[in-house]
Structures are given as structure tokens and as C-alpha cells.
């Protein structure tokens, strides 16, 4: 079964052709990151307009690279939640139009489900081993940060074990980088500078470090950096590197510990990292080391599968289509995930 996937939930327009075994036949991503860099973050209205310009060419390119026409495709899958509603609508309306015009079945896909199943995509030599169900997954991106238990590739078999109470981890990287004058997106810039700095010269407390808590928080550490910058005035490049090192160590050691603790608590053998923050070298290293010490296998998909892409949407859609699931023309775009949320923003015991 070949599925065309379309993704437009945030600042990447994606289209991909994937089969129901997860083999990626084509995967095209048009990133808007340069356009939003000017403003230091994603501007929703600009995102929608750019999706509108790009979605046609990106879909055509994905079909051309796969060497197939629409009649060879068995269905159309599209991200319809969660995300920026104006951005999502562009993908959803495009998918509906294509499905209607070609008589193919349509399925909506939850973007977070796509990320959680991206580890099953097969792209070639850099494929991670596939996890065994049940596994625990840390999904950390610019918009979401949560730890899930995945018992099966279905929304009703996935539970959130803990999530951020406030900012997403990637958002914290982006905001801290902005405070340090490092531009957008901040994650790669901090990742590059951190190894050249000395973390022990900057006092930052790790976020929500209470033993046993799988919930997270990243706005406090961002405020600590803001106060440090306000107190110290313009920082030398050496000092900027020290702050990057301290921030990255605090965030990644907390994430690594929480996801491994979650796996031990749930008695599962496999941990998967996903989302753009999974590109972080220190997070990969710390989680793998901690996992190895506790007898847990840590799987990190290739970068193209971690960051936003339509291949993960096509694959999650292929599984839905394979189960006989279909959506109608009333499929809506919404900012809410289908996955049950356990963590309430700003609430509860820390
Ligand atoms: O998954 P993604 O491409 O898009 C969504 O947010 O859905 O993730 C982008 C986020 C940004 O916040 C970016 O700063 C962060 O992932 N990121 C990183 C790294 N590369 C990207 N964060 C830390 N270290 C990195 N190497
Ligand atoms: Zn994403």
C-alpha cells in the first residue's frame, strides 16, 4: 500500500510517499525557518501564507521523486491536529481536494502520533533498530515535550506519562539562544557552542528535578538565564559558551533522567527519542549512557525522521488505512491532540 502524506502543522511544508511497511519512497520538506528567523520565532499568519504557496509544488515534487502518479497511491493522509490551525487548514484542504478529485480514501493523522511512530520509517543505511512494544518515547520539539508509553501504534494504546507544565524544551533552547544573541532556531547554535564552554562556572538549577517526577518545566531555567543576562550586561563570547554549556547540561540531564526513570517505572526495555530536540548531541549521549547503565536500549531515529516531515504522517496514515479507518469531508483542523493529556499546565505538586 502506498500513501501520500501531507504535513503543514507548523513551519515546515511536507509531502511524502511511504508504504505500509514504513519504507520511505520520497520525502520532501520545505522549511520556512529562514522567513521566521527575522522575527525570532514562528509567525502563524506568515506560516499559513507560505504553506499555501508551497503545498502544491511540494506535493508534486514528492510524487515525482517517488515516480508515481496519484492513481498509484492508495490513500491520502494529512496532519489535522495539533498545530497552528491556519497552517493545518492548508494541508487539510489540499488533502481533501486531492482525495476527492482522485477518489482515494482520506485519513487525518495526529502530528504527535506521527512523531511517536517515526522510528519505524525505513530510509536506508542510517535506520535505527525498531523498538519492541511496549516502549517509552520522549518527544521533544519546539511545540511539544512529553514522555509517552506506547503499547501499540494506535491513539488509544498510547498514554502520556508526563509532559511539560509550560514551555516545550525546544522553545526553551530557542528563547535562551535569543537572550544570548545566537539567532533562531536556537537548538543547533547552543548545541554547537556548549562543548566549548564550562558548565560549572554558571549556576543554573535543573528543571523540576524532584525524584520520581516525570513532569517537566522549562520556563524557570529560561528566566534564570534572562536574569543572569540582565545582571551581567553584554556577555563575552566565552561567557556565552559557558551559559550554553550550563543550560544544555541542565536540560539534557533532566530529560535523560526522566525518560530512563519512566522506562524503569513502566518496566519496558526500549526508549525512543523523537522531535527536533532529539538532534541534540548531549541529549543523545546522556540518554544512551544512562540507558546502558540501567539495561535499557535507547533508539534514536535519523534526523530526517526526528524533525517535522510528512513521511511519519504517511506511515501513521497507512496504519489507519490498513485498519479500514477513513475520514470524511468533515475532517477538521484543530489545535488539540487526540492523545489523552495527563499533565495540566501550571498545575499540581512539583
Ligand atoms: O520537531 P521540530 O523540527 O519542529 C517542531 O517544533 O515541531 O523541532 C524544532 C525544535 C526547535 O525548537 C529547535 O531549536 C530544536 O528543535 N532543535 C534542537 C536541536 N536541533 C533542533 N534543540 C537542541 N539541540 C539541537 N541540536
Ligand atoms: Zn513536530
Amino acid at each position: 500500500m502506498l500513501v501520500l502524506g501531507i504535513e503543514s502543522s507548523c513551519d515546515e511544508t511536507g509531502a511524502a510517499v511511504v508504504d505500509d511497511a514504513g519504507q520511505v519512497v520520497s520525502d520532501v520538506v520545505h522549511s520556512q525557518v529562514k522567513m521566521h528567523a527575522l522575527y525570532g520565532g514562528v509567525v502563524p499568519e506568515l506560516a499559513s501564507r507560505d504553506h499555501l504557496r508551497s503545498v502544491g509544488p511540494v506535493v508534486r515534487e514528492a510524487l515525482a521523486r517517488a515516480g508515481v502518479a496519484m492513481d498509484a497511491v492508495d490513500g491520502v493522509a494529512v496532519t489535522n491536529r495539533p498545530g497552528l490551525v491556519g497552517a493545518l487548514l492548508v494541508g487539510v484542504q489540499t488533502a481533501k481536494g486531492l482525495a476527492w478529485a482522485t477518489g482515494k480514501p482520506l485519513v487525518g493523522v495526529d502530528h504527535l502520533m506521527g512523531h511517536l511512530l517515526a522510528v519505524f520509517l525505513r530510509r536506508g543505511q542510517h535506520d535505527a533498530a525498531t523498538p519492541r512494544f511496549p516502549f517509552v518515547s520522549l518527544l521533544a520539539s519546539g511545540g511539544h515535550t512529553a514522555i509517552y508509553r506506547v503499547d501499540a501504534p494506535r491513539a488509544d494504546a498510547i498514554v502520556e506519562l508526563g509532559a511539560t507544565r509550560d514551555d516545550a524544551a525546544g522553545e526553551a533552547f530557542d528563547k535562551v539562544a535569543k537572550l544570548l544573541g545566537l539567532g533562531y532556531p536556537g537548538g543547533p547554535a547552543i548545541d554547537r557552542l556548549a562543548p566549548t564552554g564550562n558548565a560549572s562556572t554558571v549556576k543554573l538549577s535543573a528543571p523540576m528535578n524532584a525524584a520520581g517526577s516525570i513532569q517537566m518545566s522549562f520556563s524557570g531555567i529560561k528566566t534564570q538565564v534572562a536574569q543572569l543576562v540582565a545582571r551581567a550586561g553584554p556577555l563575552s563570547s566565552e561567557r556565552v559558551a559557558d551559559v550554553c554549556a550550563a543550560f544544555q547540561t541542565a536540560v539534557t540531564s533532566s530529560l535523560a533522567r526522566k525518560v530512563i526513570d519512566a522506562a524503569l517505572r513502566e518496566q519496558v526495555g526500549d526508549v525512543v527519542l523523537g522531535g527536533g530536540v532529539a538532534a541534540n548531541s548531549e541529549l543523545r549521549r546522556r540518554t544512551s549512557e544512562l540507558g546502558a547503565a540501567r539495561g535499557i536500549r535507547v533508539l534514536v531515529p535519523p534526523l530526517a525522521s526526528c524533525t517535522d516531515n510528512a513521511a511519519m504522517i504517511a506511515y501513521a496514515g497507512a496504519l489507519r488505512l490498513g485498519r479500514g479507518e477513513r475520514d470524511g469531508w468533515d475532517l477538521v483542523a484543530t489545535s488539540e491532540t487526540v492523545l489523552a493529556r495527563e499533565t495540566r499546565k501550571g498545575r499540581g505538586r512539583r
Side-chain angles (χ1 to χ4, degrees):
M1 187 203 294
L2 274 187
V3 175
L4 171 70
I6 300 176
E7 156 66 38
S8 68
S9 65
C10 189
D11 59 346
E12 262 96 26
T13 318
V17 177
V18 175
D19 74 13
D20 53 346
Q23 186 63 46
V24 179
V25 188
S26 70
D27 183 15
V28 179
V29 179
H30 163 77
S31 171
Q32 307 176 349
V33 72
K34 284 211 183 86
M35 183 179 82
H36 298 295
L38 213 60
Y39 306 94
V42 177
V43 183
E45 180 60 22
L46 295 182
S48 312
R49 289 168 190 238
D50 197 65
H51 284 306
L52 210 46
R53 277 189 293 271
S54 310
V55 71
V58 166
V59 167
R60 273 195 293 276
E61 179 75 18
L63 291 168
R65 285 197 205 167
V68 296
M70 271 308 288
D71 29 315
V73 164
D74 299 290
V76 182
V78 62
T79 308
N80 73 313
R81 62 198 305 168
L84 303 168
V85 171
L88 286 166
L89 267 173
V90 176
V92 168
Q93 294 304 99
T94 304
K96 282 182 186 174
L98 273 171
W100 183 79
T102 56
K104 306 288 177 180
L106 170 77
V107 279
V109 169
D110 189 290
H111 182 81
L112 304 183
M113 286 280 295
H115 274 302
L116 291 172
L117 301 178
V119 65
F120 294 103
L121 292 173
R122 304 291 89 192
R123 294 179 182 271
Q125 75 257 47
H126 300 302
D127 291 337
T130 50
R132 282 181 299 267
F133 292 104
F135 61 87
V136 161
S137 187
L138 167 67
L139 176 53
S141 73
H144 315 280
T145 296
I147 295 172
Y148 297 91
R149 177 189 167 105
V150 182
D151 280 272
R154 297 190 319 268
D156 63 354
I158 298 176
V159 290
E160 181 206 293
L161 302 172
T164 179
R165 297 264 184 93
D166 39 59
D167 292 354
E171 190 180 352
F173 271 92
D174 294 337
K175 288 177 175 170
V176 164
K178 194 171 179 180
L179 286 166
L180 297 174
L182 299 176
Y184 173 86
I190 291 178
D191 199 356
R192 227 172 11 253
L193 284 177
T196 68
N198 183 349
S200 65
T201 63
V202 182
K203 264 191 93 65
L204 290 178
S205 49
M208 283 189 70
N209 232 0
S213 170
I214 293 174
Q215 296 192 6
M216 293 160 270
S217 161
F218 300 102
S219 76
I221 192 164
K222 169 203 68 191
T223 306
Q224 290 177 52
V225 175
Q227 287 168 346
L228 186 150
V229 171
R231 262 199 319 272
L235 303 179
S236 66
S237 51
E238 288 79 22
R239 197 64 185 150
V240 166
D242 292 344
V243 176
C244 287
F247 168 78
Q248 182 168 284
T249 296
V251 170
T252 59
S253 54
S254 160
L255 287 174
R257 190 178 59 70
K258 283 174 196 276
V259 70
I260 297 298
D261 278 356
L264 291 169
R265 195 186 81 184
E266 297 295 316
Q267 299 184 311
V268 307
D270 286 344
V271 155
V272 179
L273 302 184
V277 181
N280 187 270
S281 49
E282 190 170 345
L283 178 64
R284 289 172 175 237
R285 178 174 57 75
R286 283 184 182 279
T287 314
S288 302
E289 283 173 5
L290 202 57
R294 307 303 297 269
I296 288 173
R297 187 166 67 144
V298 177
L299 306 168
V300 191
L303 199 56
S305 295
C306 287
T307 54
D308 282 353
N309 65 87
M312 66 187 191
I313 303 304
Y315 176 63
L319 298 184
R320 285 201 63 199
L321 288 165
R323 292 194 292 263
E325 296 170 19
R326 303 282 185 270
D327 281 308
W329 307 129
D330 56 351
L331 179 72
V332 291
T334 142
S335 58
E336 292 291 312
T337 175
V338 281
L339 301 179
R341 295 252 304 263
E342 193 259 342
T343 306
R344 295 174 64 193
K345 293 225 162 181
R347 295 287 183 87
R349 194 176 62 84
R350 297 220 157 197

